[in-house]
Structure formats: structure tokens, C-alpha cells
Amino acid sequence: MLKAFSNYKALNIYALYFHIGETEKKCFIEEIPDETMVIGKYRTQLWDKQTGSFLPATPGLGMHVEIKDPDTKIILSRQYGSDGRFTFTSHTPGEHQICLHSNSTKMALFAGGKLRVHLDIQVGEHTNNYPEIAAKDKLTELQLRARQLLDQVEQIQKEQNYQRYREERFRMTSESTNQRVLWWSIAQTLILIVTGIWQMKHLKSFFEAKKLV
Amino acid sequence: MMLSRNILVQVLWAYLLCGWTFGSELTFELPDNAKQCFYEDITIGTKCTLEFQVVTGGHYDVDCRLEDADGTVLYKEMKKQYDSFTFTAAKNGTYKFCFSNEFSTFTHKTVYFDFQVGEDPPLFPNENRVTALTQMESACVSIHEALKSVIDYQTHFRLREAQGRSRAEDLNTRVAFWSIGEALILLVVSISQVVLLRSFFSDRKTTTTRVGS
């Protein structure tokens, strides 16, 4: 019974999956406010040509996880096994990039293998494990529900704060475009007038020198 | 007797687990002429929702296709910017949904999708579902649901704002480059016009003097 349960649980956990090539790199973008925790869990299976199916667990096959912050600075670059769990907390708001690729050493041409990657990324409030929190802090059901609501509201607050920051950036970009359009239009009109005048003056003096006018 | 009890327990666990969700929300980049598929094992009777939005790229459209375990197409839309599709799983098995950018020749797109399967896991796994919730608890549940939809709206707002912001930043850099480029072209053209004109008259002068004498 336990085996059946664990099999079923193993099937259902990290439910969503996709296929990637053995040497392919797959990236996901998470746009998050600052001080937000992100937990990622993955499980990989390798395509077995002989049995024509995906092997349940492949020892020795690892995944390299690389996470970049909005300034494209690498905040996490680690190798994990075929089943892994990575976690990070953002310190700057913005687009973080989570990239996964297998540590297969074969060349791209020869590595015809396919990998099945089960992935589950939870952000912010979803990272909290409420049954665990209830057991640890010994909360009643009402207290736990209140705690969950507090976490949700905190996430909404953080997102609103991040929205204000994004709107400020957008406004600065628009104002910069406005300034640039204004100054470059004036500059180009001036250049046009100046080159026109120079052309006429130069040609006039040239033709006078050639005694054609 | 033991066997039937085992089977009963397995069925009960399966029933409990299929009611839980592992909703996945991911943002990924879809290169031009590429197709990306995601798979999920769903049990019969589960209510699922697939929501997607194109964040950046080209005309902000993508083809989306959802197939059930037997390959029957449940949802198929071409060049859609945003959509939400709810369905109840009629069969057990692996459901597949694909995003395609094959109609695009050089623009790569960033696509966000949210695939919710079933209901949220209960706060207390050992909760006795038979007793009704008190008023406080049901108030908490309705606040929780309302906050979930607030977070969902925030996400969609953030994606639309990201769209506008990336266009504005594109515009800003393009204005800078093209203004400098145009100013240079203007100078080069006006100078070369004068030089060319001068070269015409220089040749003509020698021929006219030869003809004159």
C-alpha cells in the first residue's frame, strides 16, 4: 500500500513536464519584487532507446542550474543531481532568469538523447508549507488561516511596491525619449539649415572662381 | 480481505491526491519558428484552467493548442494574444498543450502561462471534511479566494505593463540611433553633393577650353 502510494505521489509531484535535448539549455523568466523567495524543484528522466520509454531515475545525470538577477549578474550557478531543489531570495526587483541544462558531456551532434524534465517553481507566498508552519508554531486552524491571509496580503503589498518602481522606470524612459526627440529634431533642423547655407556659399564662391557667374 | 482493504486504501489516497493541485505558472522565451510543449498527467473529473499571455515580441500573438490523452484537440487558437480556457478532464492520462511561434520568421516571443489543475491543497491535510466551517472560517476562505484573484489581476497587469515598458525602451534606443544616423547621413550627403558638383565643373572646363582654341 505504501509503495503504491509513494509511486502515485511520485507521479503527481512536480506535475508539469517538458522535453529538452541533452545539450539544450532551457530558461524561464520570473519577474518578482525584491525580498521574495523562490523555490524550484525538478526531476529528470532520460529516454532509453532500448525500452523505448523514459527511465524512472538516471544516476549520474545531473542538471546545472544558473540563476541571473535583473542586472544579468549570476546569483546561483550550481550542479544538482537528477532530482534537485534550488532556492533563492531576490534582492533586486525585476526579471530573474532561471536556466537549466544537463551536465551531459557529449557533443551536440552526437547527443541525440531526450530528457524529460518535471519542473515546479513556486514564488513568494506559495513557498510556505502551511501544515509544517502549523505544527511548528502550534497554531489553531483560525490562526493558520489568518497567517495565510497575512502572507498573501504581504505579497500583494510587495507587488504594488514593485509596480510603483516599474512605473517610475517607465516614466523616466518616456521622458528620456521625449527629450531625445526634442533635441535631435532641433539639432537636425540646424544641421540641415547650416549645410544648406554652406553648400550655397561654397558653390557660389566656386563658380565665381571659375568665372561661370 | 487484506487485498481488498489495500485496494480500498489505494483508491482513497488516489482520491485525496487527485483533489490537490500543483498549479504551474511559467514565463519562457519562444524563439522564431519554434514550438514548445508541456505535458501533465491529469485524473478524470479534475477541473483545470489554462491561461496564457504573450508578454513581448512582434505582434504579441502565439498559437496555442491543448490536447487530451487520446490526442483529441480540446482547444486550438491561432495568433492569440491572451486567453483563458477552463475544462474538466474527461479522461485519465497525459494532457499536452503547445505554444507555437512557427508563423514568425524572426521575432521571438516571451510567453506566460498559468495551468491550474484541481483545487488548492487544504491547509490541514488531516482535516475532517464532514463538519461545516464556522462563520469565521468561511469568511477567511472567501477572503483567501478574493486575494487570490487580486494576485491574478496583478500578474496580468504586470505583464501588460511589461509589454508597454519594453516597447518604450525599444523606442528610446531606436530614437537615439536613428537620430545620430540621420545626422551623419545628412552631413555625408551634403558634402558629397558639393564634391560631385565640383567634379562635374572641373571636367567641363578643360573640354570647353580645348573646343575654344
Side-chain angles (χ1 to χ4, degrees):
Chain A
M1 184 268 279
L2 270 169
K3 186 163 174 276
F5 164 60
S6 61
N7 274 344
Y8 199 90
K9 199 155 191 261
L11 282 173
N12 254 351
I13 214 158
Y14 327 149
L16 190 82
Y17 65 84
F18 53 93
H19 297 140
I20 60 168
E22 238 180 286
T23 47
E24 207 184 315
K25 188 170 180 178
K26 196 88 190 104
C27 293
F28 296 95
I29 300 165
E30 285 294 331
E31 196 175 352
I32 45 178
D34 60 347
E35 307 308 322
T36 307
M37 183 152 165
V38 176
I39 295 179
K41 291 182 244 183
Y42 72 87
R43 194 162 67 88
T44 48
Q45 290 173 317
L46 187 64
W47 176 255
D48 185 21
K49 285 192 204 68
Q50 280 125 4
T51 56
S53 67
F54 284 91
L55 297 171
T58 321
L61 182 71
M63 292 290 273
H64 188 93
V65 176
E66 199 178 77
I67 300 176
K68 290 199 188 120
D69 76 351
D71 306 317
T72 59
K73 201 177 67 168
I74 295 174
I75 54 177
L76 189 90
S77 177
R78 263 190 66 179
Q79 188 110 303
Y80 294 87
S82 66
D83 276 23
R85 182 181 182 273
F86 56 90
T87 174
F88 72 95
T89 307
S90 61
H91 296 293
T92 23
E95 279 189 9
H96 291 70
Q97 207 182 47
I98 301 168
C99 290
L100 298 161
H101 65 95
S102 78
N103 65 347
S104 167
T105 44
K106 296 189 207 149
M107 295 248 295
L109 279 171
F110 303 109
K114 225 169 35 165
L115 277 172
R116 176 178 284 183
V117 182
H118 298 249
L119 185 65
D120 180 40
I121 299 178
Q122 298 295 333
V123 175
E125 182 256 330
H126 298 285
T127 58
N128 293 332
N129 186 350
Y130 288 104
E132 206 181 284
I133 294 172
K136 195 170 70 119
D137 297 339
K138 294 185 186 42
L139 302 171
T140 66
E141 182 168 334
L142 208 58
Q143 283 175 327
L144 189 69
R145 285 193 190 276
R147 178 67 185 270
Q148 189 188 38
L149 292 175
L150 281 172
D151 288 336
Q152 270 189 308
V153 167
E154 197 184 316
Q155 187 179 347
I156 290 173
Q157 249 184 317
K158 276 196 203 148
E159 183 82 27
Q160 296 282 51
N161 207 22
Y162 176 45
Q163 191 191 310
R164 192 182 50 77
Y165 162 83
R166 286 192 318 263
E167 188 272 338
E168 192 183 319
R169 256 187 65 186
F170 181 76
R171 201 169 8 103
M172 272 168 34
T173 309
S174 300
E175 282 182 6
S176 156
T177 308
N178 191 28
Q179 289 289 314
R180 281 186 196 182
V181 164
L182 178 70
W183 289 115
W184 278 107
S185 308
I186 292 172
Q188 276 187 28
T189 316
L190 279 172
I191 290 175
L192 197 60
I193 292 171
V194 162
T195 48
I197 293 170
W198 170 80
Q199 273 185 332
M200 291 303 118
K201 275 196 161 162
H202 188 88
L203 286 174
K204 185 166 179 236
S205 63
F206 175 70
F207 288 139
E208 277 172 354
K210 298 279 180 198
K211 300 190 177 59
L212 289 168
V213 285
Chain B
M1 180 46 190
M2 265 305 273
L3 194 66
S4 61
R5 185 166 154 269
N6 274 345
I7 292 169
L8 181 67
V9 173
Q10 278 179 44
V11 166
L12 276 174
W13 274 117
Y15 173 74
L16 268 178
L17 283 169
C18 79
W20 292 6
T21 186
F22 288 98
S24 318
E25 193 183 50
L26 289 172
T27 312
F28 65 97
E29 219 180 75
L30 193 60
D32 46 299
N33 289 316
K35 183 170 159 172
Q36 178 70 40
C37 293
F38 295 90
Y39 308 81
E40 180 141 2
D41 298 320
I42 305 176
T43 48
I44 191 169
T46 324
K47 183 161 169 248
C48 312
T49 311
L50 173 66
E51 231 181 311
F52 68 92
Q53 188 170 347
V54 183
V55 185
T56 60
H59 292 290
Y60 307 108
D61 50 5
V62 77
D63 297 341
C64 178
R65 191 192 167 94
L66 173 66
E67 284 173 12
D68 73 359
D70 301 324
T72 324
V73 176
L74 295 172
Y75 170 84
K76 183 175 170 193
E77 283 289 339
M78 314 291 278
K79 298 197 178 182
K80 207 79 165 112
Q81 204 271 311
Y82 160 80
D83 208 359
S84 172
F85 176 66
T86 312
F87 67 98
T88 311
K91 302 175 197 139
N92 274 321
T94 308
Y95 283 67
K96 165 174 141 173
F97 57 98
C98 298
F99 297 100
S100 163
N101 195 23
E102 283 155 340
F103 57 84
S104 182
T105 36
F106 56 87
T107 44
H108 56 249
K109 313 244 160 91
T110 312
V111 180
Y112 159 90
F113 74 86
D114 181 13
F115 192 52
Q116 288 292 119
V117 176
E119 300 293 321
D120 272 345
L123 279 181
F124 287 96
N126 308 316
E127 197 175 284
N128 191 351
R129 290 163 193 266
V130 179
T131 55
L133 298 167
T134 66
Q135 255 195 331
M136 278 294 283
E137 283 167 5
S138 47
C140 284
V141 166
S142 49
I143 295 174
H144 177 64
E145 292 299 317
L147 288 178
K148 267 209 305 203
S149 76
V150 168
I151 292 173
D152 196 38
Y153 283 134
Q154 269 190 328
T155 306
H156 286 290
F157 181 76
R158 171 171 55 84
L159 295 171
R160 285 208 197 280
E161 188 271 341
Q163 223 175 300
R165 191 165 26 98
S166 94
R167 264 282 194 251
E169 282 170 3
D170 253 351
L171 187 67
N172 196 22
T173 36
R174 261 189 237 166
V175 161
F177 281 129
W178 280 107
S179 305
I180 295 171
E182 259 195 67
L184 280 173
I185 289 174
L186 206 59
L187 283 169
V188 163
V189 164
S190 55
I191 290 171
S192 55
Q193 269 181 337
V194 168
V195 165
L196 203 62
L197 215 57
R198 278 172 69 124
S199 70
F200 285 155
F201 284 97
S202 310
D203 290 347
R204 264 256 232 109
K205 179 141 198 294
T206 35
T207 36
T208 39
T209 41
R210 242 191 284 131
V211 167
S213 56

